Amino acid sequence: MTSAFKKTFITAMILPAFVSVSVYAQKQPVRLNPDNLLLYRDQAGKVNQVQTKADWEQRRKEIIRGMETVMGPFPGEDQRVALDVKILEEVKLDKYTRQLITYQSSPGSRTPAYLCIPHTAKAGTKVPAVLCLHPTDNRVGHKVVVGLGGRAGRQYAAELAERGYVTIAPAYPHLANYWPNLGKLGFVSGTMKAIWDNSRAIDLLASLDYVDLKQGVGAIGHSLGGHNSIYTAVFDPRVSAIVSSCGFDSYRDYYDGAERVWYFGKGWCQIRYMPRMSNYRGKLDEIPFDFPELLGVLAPRPLYVNAPLHDSNFRWNSVDKCAEIAKPVYEMLGAKEKLVIDHPDSDHNFPQEQRDRAYQLFDSVLKN
């Protein structure tokens, strides 16, 4: 099998049956300026200045359509089948009980997750909850966020449980112990499968009589989990406070725009992420969404970003540019102070001081 044929074959295998290549190849509208979020396209296709919240909603919808062009469609409500939760393991700790569970995320797919339940949580005494998304780890996977292996600074699911939050930490597709057949399940990308698994994890939290979701649910993640928390919050409005640690810079700035990371199977273009990203190699300006726009979509929800000065994966100054571009949307929606960027003097890490600030954000939003 030649390398070119092999690439074509693998790509075809991950495309779900209901997405035709001809549909995917249809010409998309001219890309709106990703550095000016106060532009929108009206029903006639004319580009106008955003003047109202209704105008912004048109741009917001276009950004989400751009995401689905690359990630594949967010599944319909018919995919929200019974969760059928199964407990595989249960360990009682000093302040909480940790369960290893699986739940039915969609027909024919079960997702592993850790569920941490504070001893203060019980029927009649509801407590808030946080979705805890793990970084890239092909050895222990989601175990790292409950303190069962991997580097320090990633155990936020355990720390939040100790602070009285119910936490749920789903496994990420095609890492460690979780290998769903994406194409068979109808997913174009591992990214969209993860978003859907996370949305179903929120469904699971909502089903528990000891969880209080009146103020929504938090979402936190480091690295892979950092952008996963943003993606999930875009598609699931129940996420009311977002923390992203070392999770992004502009796609155009990723590794300083080096072409080598935009081939199929590299960087963002891996099957477990978004393989269609490889179509934009050499033309990054044409990617139909970028992080400045995603931050804007999250407004007016509070967002705390940890972007260390010495992160070798994502550039802190690019994060600042993304935030500056998103700020006018936050300002328009009366939430200027809710977009917070932090730059610790560290490497690709989530220091204790920044984790504490993240937890304080959840306290201010979810415990009111």
Side-chain angles (χ1 to χ4, degrees):
M1 183 182 292
T2 67
S3 59
F5 179 79
K6 184 177 181 181
K7 175 180 175 181
T8 303
F9 176 77
I10 293 174
T11 304
M13 287 297 290
I14 64 168
L15 288 172
F18 58 78
V19 178
S20 73
V21 175
S22 61
V23 169
Y24 172 60
Q26 286 176 358
K27 186 174 178 60
Q28 300 297 316
V30 175
R31 172 87 161 95
L32 285 176
N33 186 350
D35 297 332
N36 184 353
L37 301 192
L38 298 185
L39 296 175
Y40 78 101
R41 202 186 316 267
D42 64 20
Q43 297 297 322
K46 181 182 177 182
V47 177
N48 301 291
Q49 191 76 20
V50 170
Q51 302 287 348
T52 66
K53 291 181 181 179
D55 294 342
W56 163 245
E57 186 61 22
Q58 294 305 308
R59 177 66 181 270
R60 185 179 181 277
K61 289 178 179 177
E62 182 159 329
I63 294 166
I64 294 173
R65 287 195 297 271
M67 295 176 74
E68 292 184 307
T69 298
V70 177
M71 299 176 177
F74 185 68
E77 291 303 303
D78 62 316
Q79 296 297 297
R80 293 192 191 273
V81 293
L83 290 161
D84 187 28
V85 177
K86 298 184 185 300
I87 300 173
L88 307 182
E89 174 186 288
E90 183 170 284
V91 178
K92 188 172 184 179
L93 301 167
D94 286 345
K95 294 185 177 181
Y96 64 94
T97 297
R98 184 184 67 234
Q99 296 178 341
L100 174 60
I101 65 171
T102 66
Y103 58 92
Q104 187 173 224
S105 46
S106 52
S109 180
R110 297 193 66 83
T111 300
Y114 279 101
L115 180 66
C116 296
I117 309 162
H119 298 328
T120 54
K122 51 191 175 183
T125 308
K126 295 188 174 187
V127 300
V130 179
L131 176 69
C132 298
L133 306 175
H134 68 85
T136 302
D137 190 314
N138 207 21
R139 183 175 64 87
V140 299
H142 60 156
K143 289 182 178 181
V144 70
V145 297
V146 294
L148 294 178
R151 293 179 59 185
R154 278 73 167 156
Q155 67 278 14
Y156 33 88
E159 291 178 341
L160 283 163
E162 289 174 349
R163 292 174 69 102
Y165 290 90
V166 172
T167 64
I168 190 164
Y172 189 92
H174 290 204
L175 282 175
N177 63 332
Y178 183 40
W179 292 86
N181 186 324
L182 299 177
K184 185 176 180 180
L185 291 169
F187 289 93
V188 166
S189 67
T191 294
M192 184 53 76
K193 171 60 171 163
I195 293 167
W196 181 248
D197 288 352
N198 299 338
S199 184
R200 296 292 283 147
I202 297 173
D203 289 345
L204 194 158
L205 292 172
S207 74
L208 302 174
D209 60 8
Y210 50 80
V211 169
D212 179 6
L213 291 187
K214 289 196 302 292
Q215 304 300 329
V217 63
I220 185 172
H222 175 72
S223 194
L224 162 64
H227 48 259
N228 199 6
S229 65
I230 291 173
Y231 295 154
T232 301
V234 167
F235 284 96
D236 198 317
R238 293 174 294 180
V239 178
S240 57
I242 305 101
V243 172
S244 176
S245 170
C246 299
F248 69 93
D249 56 10
S250 169
Y251 296 128
R252 293 163 289 169
D253 295 330
Y254 182 61
Y255 280 85
D256 299 319
E259 187 171 325
R260 61 183 169 79
V261 298
W262 291 98
Y263 284 86
F264 179 84
K266 302 288 186 180
W268 290 109
C269 311
Q270 298 175 62
I271 291 174
R272 67 179 173 222
Y273 304 132
M274 296 170 283
R276 283 180 176 173
M277 278 290 203
S278 62
N279 292 315
Y280 299 96
R281 178 170 49 85
K283 45 184 179 180
L284 302 184
D285 288 338
E286 296 181 21
I287 298 173
F289 68 101
D290 202 349
F291 279 99
E293 294 159 294
L294 303 191
L295 302 190
V297 168
L298 296 182
R301 290 174 282 177
L303 169 63
Y304 174 76
V305 177
N306 171 46
L309 295 176
H310 309 293
D311 186 348
S312 60
N313 200 3
F314 298 112
R315 310 296 192 256
W316 69 268
N317 50 355
S318 178
V319 173
D320 279 355
K321 287 191 292 184
C322 292
E324 283 300 315
I325 294 165
K327 276 182 180 177
V329 179
Y330 270 84
E331 290 173 359
M332 181 184 67
L333 298 177
K336 180 179 179 180
E337 75 289 350
K338 292 185 179 180
L339 175 56
V340 177
I341 312 296
D342 201 354
H343 295 304
D345 187 14
S346 72
D347 60 1
H348 187 78
N349 212 335
F350 200 173
Q352 182 69 59
E353 181 180 348
Q354 279 62 47
R355 297 201 309 280
D356 286 343
R357 291 178 183 174
Y359 304 159
Q360 290 163 12
L361 170 64
F362 291 142
D363 289 349
S364 69
V365 174
L366 302 177
K367 290 187 175 181
N368 281 339

